[in-house]
Amino acid sequence: MKSHPSTKVRAKEVGIELALALCSSVSILTTGGIIAVLLLESFRFFEEVSPSQLLFDTQWTPLFLDKHFGIWPLIAGTLLTSAIALSLSVPAGLIIAIYVSEFATERTRRFLKPILELLAGIPTIVYGYFALLFITPALQFVFPSIGSFNALSAGIAMGIMILPMMASLSEDAIYTVPRSLREGAYALGASKLQMIIGAVLPAAIGGITAAVILSAARAIGETMIVAIAAGQQPLLHFNPLAPVETMTAYIVQVSLGDTPHGTLEYHTLFVVAMMLFLLTMGLNMISLAIRERFKRMYR
Amino acid sequence: MEALRAHDHFPEVRPAPQPAPRKRPLLARPGAERLFIFLARFIIASALVVLVALIGDVAIDGAARLHLDFFLNFPSRKAENAGILAAWTGSLWLLLLTISFALPLGIGAAVYLEEYGKKNRFAKLLELCIANLAGVPSVIYGILGLQVFVRTLGFERSLLSGALTLALLVLPIIIMATREALRTVPKGYREGALALGATKWQTVWTQVLPVALPGIATGCILAFSRAIGETAPLITLGALTYVAQVPDSIFSPFTALPIQAFNWLSRPQTEFHTNAAAAITVLLTFMIALNLIAIVIRAKFQKRQR
Amino acid sequence: MKSSVAHKEIEAPSPTSETKTKTEEDARVDVATKKIKINVQNVELFYGTFKALHGINIAIPAREVTAFIGPSGCGKSTLLRSINRMNDLIDGVSLTGSITIDDQDIYAQGVDLIELRKRVGMVFQKSNPFPKSIYDNVAYGPRIHGIKDKDVLDDIVHKSLMRADLWREVQDRLHTSALDLSGGQQQRLCIARALAVNPEVLLMDEPASALDPRSTSKIEDLIGELRHDYTIVIVTHNMQQAARVSDSTAFFYEGSLVEVGRTKELFTKPREKQTEDYITGRFG
């Protein structure tokens, strides 16, 4: 076989493949970069503060004179707002998913999809505005004692923000349930709801769990809504009507404060970010593993 | 009905005595299904109401401030004199720079994974990283940008740092959207080109990418519409909230619409809240326009597919 | 393997031949003297651990039509796709043995796949015109191989479409989308597209299976035209088609080559029971 044009052509092909591989390696570099930055700067923090203080102190006051570095108030704030958000978005998202996949006509579906996409695409600062200047005033009618910054309104806004994601991921999970399962349930004389609850949901449970976990990760990592509407008081409580500070809100607070580079306060930024990263990455990986297993089940 | 009438005519024909009628289980009653459908429709309607309220609330609050001066003024201590000139020009610069970084990298990575993808360790690691990055909170990207671009590489709090950070943030979304689009290209196009002696890259460049283009465009527009709304990473990066200049190079300090809005929103005076609403309205208008473009492209594309 | 012997059985060297005029009577002599274009020796092909081809030996003569027949899943398409190494695209496929074209091993190290596929054109079961104009479809091959001159391209497109018997139907709308053509026209366009790079071998994978009878007969006529200039290998599940268009026929069953011979003989006096069962429609 002649090979006169091939050396040049082949060199070009190899060059292009290499360039493309390089493009994709950016993702590996980014992941590595995040881990390296967080580890290095957190290490600086632990040179001055012992990990046990981080884990066993119950106060978080690194920006004050009397410094305490117990991360629990931030974690509690994060969990509280996330729990409120999930208790709204999980049931509502699941119901929408079931409705869309089992009851809705094609037309409804086509109408609903862009709405959910738009709802998902709205910048979180808009949700923050909405929580602070719409939801909180509305809540004040019901709970006159509620503060102008509170966990509840931020949680509600976050729940609405997560709803589209929860709905579309659950719908994907329900969609993969094979027809034969549905037909099997019907053949036994099940009603539609019985079929859904007895056959479809148990079969889709893996995907739905993955959706819930991803929603949780999203809630934990959400920043602007809580920074605007939940307040900046790192207090250890579970009262939805009172202000809280989440991990993300703390990061925003420090960033806005022009904290000098290299100080202990500056390093707290990375410690909190590290906790946040570990938490969300853990949830993401669990969700990914569940989805993988689930996918294999129906192949 | 039929059965009843039959009984009337032939009263002597009695059905065999039935066992005491068992109540149908809750879920099997027709009422249950109707209730469920009602509930679902109620939730969907509520979501719609929230969407309208969300946009309407902001637009109504901000409408008073939306005149030409608002677009031509720099921020000011007086709410009514303050404008978004630095913010919208900053956002535009950011958007263009982010696109020029993220688009080639993202599409390149997607093509590599989808078309060249060998099942080796590198590819596996890559998949894992991308799946993971897609779920990393945006503030963390801000922290990365702060340490790498602002400090280590010395780009300061410039447009360049901001755009690079946002590019890394949208990269996984672009990669995933592009891969999805590449997967819809029929196998026959690839085989046809290869069978004619096309090289891999010729096949990708002349057959696969043109066919996948509308899908890629849709996905990327949605990704970039997300990028211009991002606030948290830019704040973490240390983007300034008071900037009184239009950026003139990639090393200029900058502000952006969401940052400006956040700054106004976090002031106690309500006049500044009006400014925030107006800035958000501008941001939303731009974003919804981008979304509409994506929807139109998708609709056209789907029609052509059939 | 008994099958490979089919061609080599008569080793009567008759240096006189390579005559274009051939009659049914001297068909057997013809085989022996025909130049062998493609030689498949001991080919075994695996999909992962599944053995899809079992020790295939077959010699395919130049400038003739060879048909591969057999029930679906018998390996005929797999073997066909090995001849231009399209199977390389599938993960986990491995091949042992050798396939030579003009005595060059196409699986040897350093073989240029691009050069190979230029020499060995392929037409697929499902017509796959690119979503471009008719002209651009045909010009695609020459262009990627570096021809830019408009006049040269025009000429290639014209000639290829003529050869594929499509020119008259499309000459007025060369720049309209190829996707607007009928199924039969699309398939002939794909043949024209393959011819445009000037191949020596043409592989056809059930080229008419998705077409109506009229389009099918047009394709078959076309194959009859092309046989004088190209070495054609056609996979078909339609035995009548094999009988109509091919000079030799190879019958495959469960990954093995059962029998190969001149088409007329194979269909009238099959040597193997399995072949007979298949061609008489007892299974398949």
Side-chain angles (χ1 to χ4, degrees), chain A:
Chain A
M1 222 135 289
K2 275 180 288 176
S3 63
H4 54 274
S6 67
T7 33
K8 222 177 115 187
V9 171
R10 200 171 293 165
K12 190 182 160 201
E13 285 293 310
V14 170
I16 284 170
E17 183 167 350
L18 216 66
L20 294 175
L22 222 60
C23 285
S24 42
S25 66
V26 171
S27 296
I28 296 177
L29 286 179
T30 310
T31 311
I34 289 175
I35 294 172
V37 164
L38 294 182
L39 274 180
L40 282 175
E41 297 296 311
S42 301
F43 186 71
R44 298 260 178 79
F45 174 81
F46 288 123
E47 281 176 345
E48 293 181 55
V49 179
S50 78
S52 68
Q53 201 189 344
L54 189 75
L55 292 179
F56 297 116
D57 203 328
T58 54
Q59 285 185 63
W60 178 260
T61 55
L63 305 178
F64 295 92
L65 221 49
D66 175 28
K67 293 185 195 315
H68 286 275
F69 298 97
I71 196 146
W72 289 109
L74 296 185
I75 290 184
T78 304
L79 291 184
L80 181 60
T81 49
S82 300
I84 294 168
L86 289 180
S87 60
L88 186 76
S89 63
V90 167
L94 201 53
I95 287 172
I96 291 181
I98 293 171
Y99 178 77
V100 166
S101 57
E102 307 290 325
F103 293 96
T105 59
E106 185 58 36
R107 250 185 65 208
T108 321
R109 217 176 292 196
R110 233 179 297 155
F111 157 82
L112 206 59
K113 212 177 151 153
I115 290 181
L116 286 180
E117 253 166 32
L118 200 56
L119 212 50
I122 284 180
T124 54
I125 181 150
V126 186
Y127 282 101
Y129 179 94
F130 190 65
L132 182 69
L133 299 178
F134 191 96
I135 300 179
T136 298
L139 285 174
Q140 274 164 345
F141 282 108
V142 191
F143 311 104
S145 70
I146 201 166
S148 45
F149 298 109
N150 61 78
L152 185 58
S153 97
I156 291 173
M158 216 149 78
I160 299 168
M161 184 203 78
I162 296 168
L163 180 65
M165 185 176 114
M166 177 67 204
S168 85
L169 286 177
S170 314
E171 202 219 321
D172 288 348
I174 291 172
Y175 185 81
T176 55
V177 174
R179 249 176 91 98
S180 56
L181 258 170
R182 290 166 220 255
E183 282 167 356
Y186 276 138
L188 294 174
S191 74
K192 196 160 186 172
L193 276 185
Q194 284 175 320
M195 181 275 290
I196 291 166
I197 290 174
V200 173
L201 290 188
I205 194 70
I208 293 171
T209 313
V212 173
I213 295 174
L214 271 189
S215 302
R218 184 79 193 276
I220 289 170
E222 172 44 40
T223 310
M224 291 323 290
I225 298 176
V226 285
I228 292 170
Q232 295 181 337
Q233 283 144 287
L235 304 169
L236 187 55
H237 66 74
F238 286 102
N239 176 7
L241 303 183
V244 292
E245 179 162 51
T246 65
M247 294 190 272
T248 51
Y250 176 75
I251 295 176
V252 168
Q253 189 189 6
V254 175
S255 304
L256 286 173
D258 248 347
T259 313
H261 175 59
T263 59
L264 189 58
E265 290 90 322
Y266 182 79
H267 289 141
T268 58
L269 206 60
F270 294 87
V271 172
V272 174
M274 174 78 134
M275 301 297 274
L276 187 61
F277 180 72
L278 288 179
L279 209 55
T280 50
M281 191 182 73
L283 289 175
N284 281 327
M285 292 290 117
I286 293 170
S287 154
L288 203 69
I290 292 175
R291 266 181 298 169
E292 279 301 309
R293 263 188 62 190
F294 185 63
K295 244 196 261 169
R296 242 172 285 140
M297 234 164 69
Y298 287 110
R299 207 167 271 162

Side-chain angles (χ1 to χ4, degrees), chain C residues 93-265:
Chain C
V93 167
S94 56
L95 182 141
T96 63
S98 82
I99 298 178
T100 59
I101 296 179
D102 292 341
D103 297 327
Q104 287 170 308
D105 188 347
I106 61 169
Y107 281 88
Q109 279 220 321
V111 165
D112 188 345
L113 281 187
I114 294 160
E115 208 51 41
L116 169 67
R117 290 178 184 152
K118 261 165 81 175
R119 292 176 61 194
V120 184
M122 185 166 201
V123 177
F124 296 84
Q125 178 172 9
K126 193 168 169 289
S127 64
N128 57 350
F130 303 132
K132 299 173 186 265
S133 72
I134 295 168
Y135 183 96
D136 287 342
N137 260 279
V138 182
Y140 180 79
R143 275 188 182 135
I144 56 170
H145 297 309
I147 297 176
K148 291 197 185 90
D149 189 322
K150 177 95 173 49
D151 295 337
V152 178
L153 283 176
D154 285 350
D155 189 49
I156 291 174
V157 171
H158 176 222
K159 282 195 178 130
S160 307
L161 287 171
M162 288 286 271
R163 289 240 64 173
D165 197 20
L166 192 61
W167 177 256
R168 267 183 311 116
E169 292 156 66
V170 301
Q171 57 179 328
D172 307 325
R173 46 173 176 147
L174 286 177
H175 295 283
T176 60
S177 170
L179 300 181
D180 296 336
L181 295 174
S182 73
Q185 288 173 324
Q186 287 192 2
Q187 196 58 295
R188 276 181 285 144
L189 177 66
C190 290
I191 295 174
R193 190 175 71 185
L195 296 179
V197 290
N198 212 5
E200 298 155 25
V201 178
L202 210 50
L203 307 176
M204 298 183 157
D205 192 355
E206 304 197 19
S209 67
L211 302 179
D212 59 89
R214 266 191 62 192
S215 305
T216 302
S217 92
K218 278 211 144 175
I219 301 268
E220 289 177 3
D221 291 349
L222 183 54
I223 295 172
E225 290 284 312
L226 297 172
R227 63 158 20 113
H228 305 302
D229 300 311
Y230 302 91
T231 303
I232 297 176
V233 186
I234 176 170
V235 162
T236 177
H237 58 222
N238 178 336
M239 278 172 288
Q240 286 73 34
Q241 185 171 65
R244 281 194 300 265
V245 302
S246 70
D247 301 292
S248 353
T249 297
F251 171 59
F252 292 82
Y253 185 66
E254 290 187 340
S256 297
L257 176 62
V258 177
E259 180 169 354
V260 57
R262 303 309 289 172
T263 299
K264 197 177 167 204
E265 276 172 40

